[in-house]
Amino acid sequence: SSYPYPWTAAAHRPARSPTHRSARPSPGATSAPMSTIARAVLAAPAGRLATRVGTRMTGSVRAPMTTTPRAASTASTGARHHRVPALQYSLAPPSPSPTRPSSGVVRRRASSIAANATANPASRQFPSTDVPSDAFYDAVVVVAGGMTDSGGLPPWVVSRLDHAVNEYRRHVTAEPPKKTYVVLSGSATPHKPPPLQRGGFTLHESTAMAEYVVAAGVPPEAVLKDTASMDTIGNAYYSLLLHAAPRNWRRVQVVTSEFHAGRTRAAFEWVWGLWSPGLNGADDDAGRQHRGGVPYVHLDFCTTANDGLSREVVDARAEREARSEAALRDNATRVTTLADFGEWLYTTHLCYAVTRQHEIGEFAEMKTDPALKSY
């Protein structure tokens, strides 16, 4: 049978599999710009890292964890969050509802990671309240952000989903209506055991998120899941290969929380930037040259508030995020084809390599590391 995507991995597999330690940059490769906070990780002594990094993040303590869709109303441009009415299970525009007055909450500025992490100047980044009114997308990809021990969705994940529901409504109520998908990317985390659902099966994060957005009115046929990824780099890889590449999407919005923006952008711009159908259907440089180096898929990044996270947790998470972002930017200079990326992912990565699968299941750090309370 024919290969499902217009590139052939076998034809481009390197003689030696790249790893974190042995991969070498391709000739002419340059480091992608990284955020100020990620540069601080590489330059700062470990003892001063929290001082230099932690103060740059924003945090809030808000509503208790919930999996119930928030109260319906349309978005107010003065409020930080978009709220949406329940939608009918069709592409027909829902009935309008009165605009909710501004909540009076001052909109939080984007974190320094969100403001500065950019590898592709053609892509844009904006908070959830500032989505350009003329921007429409083939899909809105929501990066998973963990679950409670009982399988509920924490507030920072609910904020991401509320935005995705609002984006779906904005598309289907446009004139003329625009078709779009909501992609929910995430299986589980390697940092703690997954909750179970009926029958003893694993409750995937994307499944819990799907229940939320469908209850909020997004038709099930417009919701696509990724139940394979276990971290941010996996979110980028599987959302691309499972959904974007087969459907030939060209414009996609990626949604995550402020504290997670730098790593998300580094991962998606790296992985999705490797997807470049050539003039003859192959994954090679011919397509890139034909497009003048412009990525095949245009990515925009949208950030939502760090709802439900204390300052302590956000500051602790900042250190982990900055280290991860710096590593991703560095690896992007070493692994420069999709075939090489597959080798790297499945031979070196904790979540996907058979050689490291015995490392999954050690959860002692969850008891002591405050950053892991946000997983």
Short mmCIF file of all heavy atoms in Angstrom, two decimals, residues 48-105:
data_model
loop_
_atom_site.label_atom_id
_atom_site.label_comp_id
_atom_site.label_asym_id
_atom_site.label_seq_id
_atom_site.Cartn_x
_atom_site.Cartn_y
_atom_site.Cartn_z
N ARG A 48 21.63 30.86 40.84
CA ARG A 48 20.96 32.13 40.61
C ARG A 48 19.83 32.01 39.62
O ARG A 48 19.19 32.99 39.26
CB ARG A 48 21.98 33.16 40.07
CG ARG A 48 23.14 33.40 41.02
CD ARG A 48 23.67 34.82 40.88
NE ARG A 48 23.80 35.27 39.51
CZ ARG A 48 24.91 35.16 38.79
NH1 ARG A 48 25.97 34.55 39.29
NH2 ARG A 48 24.96 35.62 37.56
N LEU A 49 19.59 30.80 39.11
CA LEU A 49 18.61 30.62 38.05
C LEU A 49 17.22 31.06 38.47
O LEU A 49 16.55 31.79 37.75
CB LEU A 49 18.57 29.15 37.62
CG LEU A 49 17.64 28.85 36.44
CD1 LEU A 49 18.11 29.63 35.22
CD2 LEU A 49 17.66 27.37 36.14
N ALA A 50 16.79 30.64 39.64
CA ALA A 50 15.44 30.98 40.07
C ALA A 50 15.26 32.48 40.21
O ALA A 50 14.21 33.03 39.89
CB ALA A 50 15.14 30.30 41.41
N THR A 51 16.33 33.17 40.65
CA THR A 51 16.23 34.62 40.81
C THR A 51 16.08 35.30 39.46
O THR A 51 15.28 36.21 39.28
CB THR A 51 17.49 35.15 41.51
OG1 THR A 51 17.59 34.52 42.78
CG2 THR A 51 17.41 36.66 41.69
N ARG A 52 16.85 34.82 38.47
CA ARG A 52 16.84 35.48 37.17
C ARG A 52 15.65 35.09 36.32
O ARG A 52 15.25 35.82 35.45
CB ARG A 52 18.14 35.15 36.42
CG ARG A 52 19.38 35.68 37.11
CD ARG A 52 20.62 35.37 36.32
NE ARG A 52 20.59 36.03 35.02
CZ ARG A 52 21.57 35.94 34.14
NH1 ARG A 52 22.63 35.22 34.40
NH2 ARG A 52 21.47 36.54 32.98
N VAL A 53 15.14 33.90 36.56
CA VAL A 53 14.07 33.39 35.71
C VAL A 53 12.70 33.53 36.35
O VAL A 53 11.75 33.98 35.74
CB VAL A 53 14.33 31.90 35.36
CG1 VAL A 53 13.14 31.32 34.64
CG2 VAL A 53 15.59 31.78 34.52
N GLY A 54 12.59 33.17 37.62
CA GLY A 54 11.28 33.06 38.24
C GLY A 54 10.49 34.34 38.27
O GLY A 54 9.28 34.33 38.19
N THR A 55 11.15 35.49 38.37
CA THR A 55 10.43 36.74 38.49
C THR A 55 9.80 37.19 37.19
O THR A 55 9.04 38.15 37.18
CB THR A 55 11.38 37.85 38.97
OG1 THR A 55 12.49 37.93 38.07
CG2 THR A 55 11.89 37.54 40.38
N ARG A 56 10.08 36.49 36.10
CA ARG A 56 9.56 36.93 34.82
C ARG A 56 8.21 36.35 34.48
O ARG A 56 7.60 36.72 33.50
CB ARG A 56 10.54 36.55 33.70
CG ARG A 56 11.87 37.28 33.80
CD ARG A 56 12.78 36.87 32.65
NE ARG A 56 14.04 37.58 32.71
CZ ARG A 56 14.24 38.78 32.17
NH1 ARG A 56 13.27 39.38 31.55
NH2 ARG A 56 15.41 39.36 32.27
N MET A 57 7.75 35.42 35.28
CA MET A 57 6.51 34.75 34.95
C MET A 57 5.34 35.36 35.69
O MET A 57 5.51 36.04 36.69
CB MET A 57 6.61 33.26 35.29
CG MET A 57 7.76 32.56 34.57
SD MET A 57 7.61 32.64 32.79
CE MET A 57 6.19 31.59 32.58
N THR A 58 4.16 35.11 35.20
CA THR A 58 2.95 35.61 35.84
C THR A 58 2.15 34.45 36.37
O THR A 58 2.22 33.33 35.87
CB THR A 58 2.08 36.39 34.84
OG1 THR A 58 1.75 35.52 33.77
CG2 THR A 58 2.80 37.61 34.33
N GLY A 59 1.36 34.68 37.40
CA GLY A 59 0.57 33.60 37.98
C GLY A 59 -0.67 34.14 38.64
O GLY A 59 -0.78 35.34 38.89
N SER A 60 -1.61 33.29 38.93
CA SER A 60 -2.82 33.71 39.60
C SER A 60 -3.43 32.53 40.33
O SER A 60 -3.17 31.39 40.01
CB SER A 60 -3.84 34.26 38.59
OG SER A 60 -4.23 33.25 37.69
N VAL A 61 -4.20 32.83 41.33
CA VAL A 61 -4.96 31.81 42.03
C VAL A 61 -6.42 32.11 41.79
O VAL A 61 -6.91 33.16 42.18
CB VAL A 61 -4.65 31.82 43.53
CG1 VAL A 61 -5.45 30.74 44.23
CG2 VAL A 61 -3.15 31.63 43.77
N ARG A 62 -7.09 31.22 41.10
CA ARG A 62 -8.44 31.53 40.69
C ARG A 62 -9.40 30.43 41.10
O ARG A 62 -9.30 29.89 42.19
CB ARG A 62 -8.49 31.77 39.17
CG ARG A 62 -7.72 33.03 38.77
CD ARG A 62 -7.76 33.22 37.26
NE ARG A 62 -9.11 33.41 36.77
CZ ARG A 62 -9.73 34.59 36.76
NH1 ARG A 62 -9.16 35.65 37.22
NH2 ARG A 62 -10.95 34.68 36.28
N ALA A 63 -10.32 30.09 40.25
CA ALA A 63 -11.40 29.17 40.59
C ALA A 63 -10.87 27.78 40.90
O ALA A 63 -9.81 27.39 40.45
CB ALA A 63 -12.38 29.09 39.42
N PRO A 64 -11.60 26.98 41.67
CA PRO A 64 -11.21 25.60 41.92
C PRO A 64 -11.29 24.79 40.64
O PRO A 64 -11.93 25.18 39.67
CB PRO A 64 -12.26 25.12 42.94
CG PRO A 64 -13.43 26.00 42.72
CD PRO A 64 -12.85 27.33 42.35
N MET A 65 -10.62 23.63 40.64
CA MET A 65 -10.59 22.80 39.45
C MET A 65 -11.99 22.32 39.11
O MET A 65 -12.78 21.98 39.97
CB MET A 65 -9.66 21.60 39.68
CG MET A 65 -8.21 22.02 39.86
SD MET A 65 -7.14 20.61 40.03
CE MET A 65 -5.56 21.44 40.26
N THR A 66 -12.25 22.28 37.80
CA THR A 66 -13.59 21.91 37.36
C THR A 66 -13.53 21.29 35.99
O THR A 66 -12.59 21.51 35.25
CB THR A 66 -14.51 23.15 37.31
OG1 THR A 66 -15.80 22.75 36.85
CG2 THR A 66 -13.96 24.21 36.37
N THR A 67 -14.51 20.50 35.66
CA THR A 67 -14.63 19.99 34.29
C THR A 67 -15.96 20.43 33.69
O THR A 67 -16.35 19.95 32.66
CB THR A 67 -14.55 18.45 34.27
OG1 THR A 67 -15.55 17.92 35.14
CG2 THR A 67 -13.19 17.98 34.71
N THR A 68 -16.64 21.34 34.35
CA THR A 68 -17.93 21.83 33.86
C THR A 68 -17.71 23.09 33.03
O THR A 68 -17.04 24.01 33.48
CB THR A 68 -18.87 22.17 35.03
OG1 THR A 68 -19.02 21.00 35.83
CG2 THR A 68 -20.22 22.64 34.50
N PRO A 69 -18.21 23.16 31.80
CA PRO A 69 -18.03 24.37 30.99
C PRO A 69 -18.52 25.60 31.73
O PRO A 69 -19.53 25.58 32.43
CB PRO A 69 -18.89 24.08 29.74
CG PRO A 69 -18.92 22.60 29.67
CD PRO A 69 -18.94 22.12 31.10
N ARG A 70 -17.79 26.69 31.56
CA ARG A 70 -18.11 27.92 32.25
C ARG A 70 -19.40 28.54 31.72
O ARG A 70 -19.88 28.22 30.66
CB ARG A 70 -16.94 28.91 32.10
CG ARG A 70 -15.71 28.44 32.85
CD ARG A 70 -14.53 29.31 32.50
NE ARG A 70 -13.39 28.97 33.35
CZ ARG A 70 -12.17 29.44 33.17
NH1 ARG A 70 -11.93 30.27 32.19
NH2 ARG A 70 -11.19 29.10 33.98
N ALA A 71 -19.92 29.48 32.49
CA ALA A 71 -21.19 30.10 32.14
C ALA A 71 -21.14 30.71 30.75
O ALA A 71 -20.15 31.30 30.35
CB ALA A 71 -21.53 31.19 33.16
N ALA A 72 -22.23 30.58 30.01
CA ALA A 72 -22.25 31.02 28.62
C ALA A 72 -22.51 32.50 28.51
O ALA A 72 -23.37 33.07 29.15
CB ALA A 72 -23.34 30.26 27.86
N SER A 73 -21.72 33.13 27.65
CA SER A 73 -21.95 34.50 27.20
C SER A 73 -20.93 34.77 26.13
O SER A 73 -19.96 34.06 25.99
CB SER A 73 -21.79 35.52 28.35
OG SER A 73 -20.46 35.59 28.77
N THR A 74 -21.08 35.80 25.35
CA THR A 74 -20.11 36.10 24.32
C THR A 74 -18.97 36.87 24.94
O THR A 74 -19.05 37.38 26.03
CB THR A 74 -20.75 36.94 23.19
OG1 THR A 74 -21.33 38.10 23.76
CG2 THR A 74 -21.80 36.14 22.47
N ALA A 75 -17.85 36.96 24.17
CA ALA A 75 -16.65 37.58 24.70
C ALA A 75 -16.82 39.09 24.81
O ALA A 75 -17.45 39.74 23.99
CB ALA A 75 -15.46 37.27 23.79
N SER A 76 -16.24 39.66 25.85
CA SER A 76 -16.17 41.10 26.00
C SER A 76 -14.75 41.53 25.73
O SER A 76 -13.81 40.98 26.29
CB SER A 76 -16.58 41.51 27.42
OG SER A 76 -16.27 42.86 27.65
N THR A 77 -14.54 42.53 24.91
CA THR A 77 -13.19 42.92 24.55
C THR A 77 -12.44 43.48 25.74
O THR A 77 -11.23 43.54 25.73
CB THR A 77 -13.22 43.97 23.43
OG1 THR A 77 -14.02 45.07 23.86
CG2 THR A 77 -13.79 43.39 22.17
N GLY A 78 -13.13 43.86 26.78
CA GLY A 78 -12.45 44.38 27.94
C GLY A 78 -12.09 43.31 28.94
O GLY A 78 -11.38 43.58 29.90
N ALA A 79 -12.57 42.11 28.78
CA ALA A 79 -12.31 41.04 29.73
C ALA A 79 -11.14 40.20 29.25
O ALA A 79 -10.84 40.16 28.07
CB ALA A 79 -13.54 40.16 29.90
N ARG A 80 -10.51 39.48 30.19
CA ARG A 80 -9.38 38.67 29.83
C ARG A 80 -9.78 37.39 29.14
O ARG A 80 -9.03 36.83 28.37
CB ARG A 80 -8.55 38.33 31.07
CG ARG A 80 -7.34 39.18 31.20
CD ARG A 80 -6.38 38.67 32.24
NE ARG A 80 -7.01 38.09 33.40
CZ ARG A 80 -6.78 36.85 33.77
NH1 ARG A 80 -6.02 36.07 33.04
NH2 ARG A 80 -7.33 36.37 34.86
N HIS A 81 -10.94 36.87 29.45
CA HIS A 81 -11.34 35.57 28.92
C HIS A 81 -12.51 35.71 27.96
O HIS A 81 -13.37 36.56 28.13
CB HIS A 81 -11.77 34.62 30.06
CG HIS A 81 -10.66 34.35 31.02
ND1 HIS A 81 -9.56 33.59 30.68
CD2 HIS A 81 -10.47 34.73 32.30
CE1 HIS A 81 -8.75 33.51 31.72
NE2 HIS A 81 -9.27 34.20 32.71
N HIS A 82 -12.54 34.85 26.98
CA HIS A 82 -13.69 34.74 26.11
C HIS A 82 -14.67 33.75 26.71
O HIS A 82 -14.28 32.68 27.15
CB HIS A 82 -13.27 34.24 24.73
CG HIS A 82 -12.44 35.23 24.00
ND1 HIS A 82 -11.96 34.99 22.74
CD2 HIS A 82 -12.00 36.46 24.33
CE1 HIS A 82 -11.27 36.00 22.31
NE2 HIS A 82 -11.26 36.91 23.27
N ARG A 83 -15.95 34.08 26.75
CA ARG A 83 -16.97 33.12 27.17
C ARG A 83 -17.93 32.95 26.00
O ARG A 83 -18.21 33.89 25.27
CB ARG A 83 -17.75 33.64 28.39
CG ARG A 83 -16.85 33.82 29.60
CD ARG A 83 -16.29 32.47 30.07
NE ARG A 83 -15.48 32.66 31.26
CZ ARG A 83 -14.16 32.80 31.21
NH1 ARG A 83 -13.54 32.78 30.05
NH2 ARG A 83 -13.48 32.95 32.32
N VAL A 84 -18.41 31.76 25.80
CA VAL A 84 -19.17 31.49 24.60
C VAL A 84 -20.47 30.80 24.93
O VAL A 84 -20.59 30.11 25.94
CB VAL A 84 -18.36 30.58 23.64
CG1 VAL A 84 -17.10 31.26 23.21
CG2 VAL A 84 -18.06 29.25 24.29
N PRO A 85 -21.48 30.99 24.08
CA PRO A 85 -22.73 30.26 24.27
C PRO A 85 -22.58 28.83 23.79
O PRO A 85 -21.72 28.52 22.98
CB PRO A 85 -23.71 31.03 23.38
CG PRO A 85 -22.84 31.58 22.29
CD PRO A 85 -21.53 31.90 22.93
N ALA A 86 -23.41 27.96 24.29
CA ALA A 86 -23.42 26.59 23.79
C ALA A 86 -23.81 26.59 22.33
O ALA A 86 -24.69 27.34 21.90
CB ALA A 86 -24.41 25.75 24.61
N LEU A 87 -23.15 25.76 21.54
CA LEU A 87 -23.40 25.72 20.11
C LEU A 87 -24.29 24.54 19.77
O LEU A 87 -24.27 23.51 20.42
CB LEU A 87 -22.08 25.58 19.35
CG LEU A 87 -21.02 26.65 19.67
CD1 LEU A 87 -19.80 26.39 18.82
CD2 LEU A 87 -21.56 28.04 19.40
N GLN A 88 -25.05 24.68 18.70
CA GLN A 88 -25.82 23.55 18.19
C GLN A 88 -24.86 22.58 17.51
O GLN A 88 -23.79 22.93 17.07
CB GLN A 88 -26.87 24.05 17.18
CG GLN A 88 -27.83 25.05 17.79
CD GLN A 88 -28.62 24.46 18.94
OE1 GLN A 88 -29.08 23.33 18.84
NE2 GLN A 88 -28.78 25.21 20.02
N TYR A 89 -25.26 21.33 17.42
CA TYR A 89 -24.40 20.33 16.83
C TYR A 89 -24.48 20.36 15.31
O TYR A 89 -24.92 19.43 14.66
CB TYR A 89 -24.76 18.94 17.36
CG TYR A 89 -24.23 18.72 18.75
CD1 TYR A 89 -24.76 19.44 19.82
CD2 TYR A 89 -23.20 17.84 18.99
CE1 TYR A 89 -24.27 19.25 21.10
CE2 TYR A 89 -22.72 17.64 20.27
CZ TYR A 89 -23.25 18.35 21.32
OH TYR A 89 -22.76 18.17 22.58
N SER A 90 -24.09 21.47 14.75
CA SER A 90 -24.03 21.64 13.31
C SER A 90 -23.14 22.83 13.04
O SER A 90 -22.71 23.52 13.95
CB SER A 90 -25.43 21.90 12.74
OG SER A 90 -25.89 23.19 13.10
N LEU A 91 -22.86 23.06 11.78
CA LEU A 91 -22.05 24.21 11.41
C LEU A 91 -22.89 25.48 11.31
O LEU A 91 -22.38 26.55 11.00
CB LEU A 91 -21.33 23.96 10.08
CG LEU A 91 -20.18 22.95 10.15
CD1 LEU A 91 -19.59 22.76 8.77
CD2 LEU A 91 -19.12 23.42 11.13
N ALA A 92 -24.18 25.38 11.54
CA ALA A 92 -25.03 26.57 11.51
C ALA A 92 -24.66 27.50 12.65
O ALA A 92 -24.39 27.05 13.76
CB ALA A 92 -26.49 26.16 11.63
N PRO A 93 -24.63 28.83 12.42
CA PRO A 93 -24.26 29.76 13.49
C PRO A 93 -25.25 29.67 14.65
O PRO A 93 -26.46 29.55 14.45
CB PRO A 93 -24.35 31.13 12.81
CG PRO A 93 -24.23 30.83 11.35
CD PRO A 93 -24.87 29.49 11.16
N PRO A 94 -24.73 29.70 15.91
CA PRO A 94 -25.62 29.70 17.06
C PRO A 94 -26.32 31.04 17.20
O PRO A 94 -25.88 32.05 16.66
CB PRO A 94 -24.66 29.45 18.23
CG PRO A 94 -23.36 29.98 17.76
CD PRO A 94 -23.32 29.73 16.28
N SER A 95 -27.41 31.05 17.93
CA SER A 95 -28.13 32.30 18.16
C SER A 95 -27.29 33.23 19.00
O SER A 95 -26.62 32.82 19.94
CB SER A 95 -29.45 32.01 18.90
OG SER A 95 -30.24 31.14 18.14
N PRO A 96 -27.29 34.52 18.68
CA PRO A 96 -26.49 35.47 19.46
C PRO A 96 -27.05 35.62 20.86
O PRO A 96 -28.23 35.41 21.12
CB PRO A 96 -26.61 36.76 18.66
CG PRO A 96 -27.89 36.63 17.91
CD PRO A 96 -28.03 35.16 17.59
N SER A 97 -26.17 35.98 21.79
CA SER A 97 -26.58 36.25 23.17
C SER A 97 -25.98 37.58 23.60
O SER A 97 -25.01 38.04 23.01
CB SER A 97 -26.10 35.13 24.10
OG SER A 97 -24.69 35.03 24.05
N PRO A 98 -26.54 38.21 24.63
CA PRO A 98 -26.05 39.52 25.04
C PRO A 98 -24.59 39.47 25.45
O PRO A 98 -24.10 38.49 25.99
CB PRO A 98 -26.95 39.86 26.24
CG PRO A 98 -28.14 38.98 26.09
CD PRO A 98 -27.68 37.75 25.42
N THR A 99 -23.87 40.53 25.17
CA THR A 99 -22.48 40.61 25.53
C THR A 99 -22.33 40.85 27.02
O THR A 99 -22.96 41.73 27.58
CB THR A 99 -21.80 41.77 24.77
OG1 THR A 99 -21.92 41.53 23.37
CG2 THR A 99 -20.32 41.88 25.15
N ARG A 100 -21.47 40.06 27.65
CA ARG A 100 -21.27 40.21 29.08
C ARG A 100 -20.43 41.45 29.36
O ARG A 100 -19.43 41.69 28.68
CB ARG A 100 -20.57 38.98 29.65
CG ARG A 100 -20.55 38.98 31.16
CD ARG A 100 -19.92 37.71 31.68
NE ARG A 100 -18.46 37.76 31.52
CZ ARG A 100 -17.66 36.86 32.09
NH1 ARG A 100 -18.16 35.89 32.80
NH2 ARG A 100 -16.36 36.94 31.91
N PRO A 101 -20.78 42.25 30.37
CA PRO A 101 -19.96 43.41 30.70
C PRO A 101 -18.56 42.98 31.10
O PRO A 101 -18.33 41.86 31.53
CB PRO A 101 -20.72 44.02 31.89
CG PRO A 101 -22.09 43.48 31.81
CD PRO A 101 -21.96 42.12 31.21
N SER A 102 -17.62 43.91 30.98
CA SER A 102 -16.25 43.63 31.37
C SER A 102 -16.18 43.24 32.83
O SER A 102 -16.84 43.80 33.68
CB SER A 102 -15.38 44.87 31.12
OG SER A 102 -14.10 44.71 31.68
N SER A 103 -15.33 42.25 33.12
CA SER A 103 -15.20 41.79 34.50
C SER A 103 -14.39 42.75 35.35
O SER A 103 -14.36 42.64 36.57
CB SER A 103 -14.50 40.42 34.51
OG SER A 103 -13.18 40.55 34.02
N GLY A 104 -13.73 43.71 34.72
CA GLY A 104 -12.92 44.64 35.46
C GLY A 104 -11.55 44.11 35.81
O GLY A 104 -10.74 44.80 36.42
N VAL A 105 -11.29 42.86 35.41
CA VAL A 105 -9.97 42.29 35.68
C VAL A 105 -8.97 42.84 34.67
O VAL A 105 -9.22 42.79 33.47
CB VAL A 105 -10.01 40.75 35.57
CG1 VAL A 105 -8.63 40.16 35.81
CG2 VAL A 105 -11.01 40.19 36.57
#
